[in-house]
Amino acid sequence: MVKKYRNIDKFDPSIYEEIDTNYFYQKVGTCYADRKVRNIKDFKKKESRLRIKFYPGGYLRFLAFSGMPEGPDPEDSGERGVIYKKGDKIKIDTQSATDVGSLYKQTFEVIVDGDKIYLVERLFGMSWGWSSNPLCFVYEKAEKVPEDWKKYKPDW
């Protein structure tokens, strides 16, 4: 990314009272939520090698641990992002890419429930508005972050 994330100034340290930055969170499945993201339903377990690494100050990185695992240095691998509060909701902004290689910002609403984190993807269609059953990506607290990973500081 050539631009810094602007929403980092909305990071609220209370978010990390529910998220343990000393652990990776591994994707374990998908589900759907109701329109107000109150009820989670239709959980489909499908473990993935995708993980989230949270950094102090509200930074995060999505990492793939398949084939050749991505390493600890954010300059070399992973999708960068930030976690913050907007009103009473927790949000994540990260970059994503189109099939033609253009980068854009993707925003998820976040629900933390114990050791699980739900990233809610709000899909918007031109004729129908916000999706009434948003897709959720479910992550669960996994293995501890190795100490040598902690020497790398986020700069995004």
Side-chain angles (χ1 to χ4, degrees):
M1 294 289 292
V2 293
K3 296 181 181 176
K4 303 273 185 182
Y5 287 94
R6 289 182 289 195
N7 287 330
I8 192 61
D9 64 344
K10 294 181 181 127
F11 171 68
D12 182 338
S14 70
I15 294 169
Y16 283 167
E17 291 172 5
E18 300 181 83
I19 296 173
D20 191 340
T21 60
N22 293 307
Y23 285 81
F24 291 107
Y25 283 78
Q26 179 178 353
K27 186 176 176 187
V28 294
T30 59
C31 62
Y32 291 93
D34 64 9
R35 186 169 179 82
K36 294 188 178 187
V37 194
R38 301 280 187 254
N39 297 311
I40 303 298
K41 56 190 175 195
D42 299 328
F43 176 74
K44 305 239 185 318
K45 184 173 183 158
K46 184 178 178 187
E47 286 196 19
S48 166
R49 299 205 180 262
L50 190 62
R51 289 175 175 71
I52 304 173
K53 158 82 174 84
F54 292 93
Y55 294 86
Y59 300 93
L60 60 92
R61 199 163 53 120
F62 287 88
L63 300 155
F65 276 65
S66 59
M68 172 153 309
E70 296 194 66
D73 188 350
E75 290 297 319
D76 295 336
S77 61
E79 285 184 16
R80 300 169 177 197
V82 295
I83 189 166
Y84 60 95
K85 275 195 174 174
K86 185 171 185 180
D88 63 345
K89 297 182 189 281
I90 301 172
K91 305 265 187 174
I92 284 179
D93 287 350
T94 187
Q95 84 257 7
S96 197
T98 65
D99 56 355
V100 294
S102 300
L103 292 177
Y104 65 95
K105 179 180 85 168
Q106 185 171 21
T107 300
F108 295 99
E109 189 170 326
V110 179
I111 300 169
V112 182
D113 184 17
D115 287 343
K116 287 193 171 126
I117 297 174
Y118 298 86
L119 302 185
V120 182
E121 182 177 48
R122 290 246 185 229
L123 301 175
F124 187 79
M126 297 303 273
S127 61
W128 61 86
W130 288 108
S131 170
S132 60
N133 287 317
L135 179 63
C136 301
F137 301 99
V138 184
Y139 288 78
E140 192 167 53
K141 188 175 175 180
E143 72 274 7
K144 196 167 178 97
V145 174
E147 286 302 314
D148 63 328
W149 282 59
K150 295 179 182 180
K151 69 181 179 184
Y152 297 95
K153 305 298 180 206
D155 67 350
W156 54 91

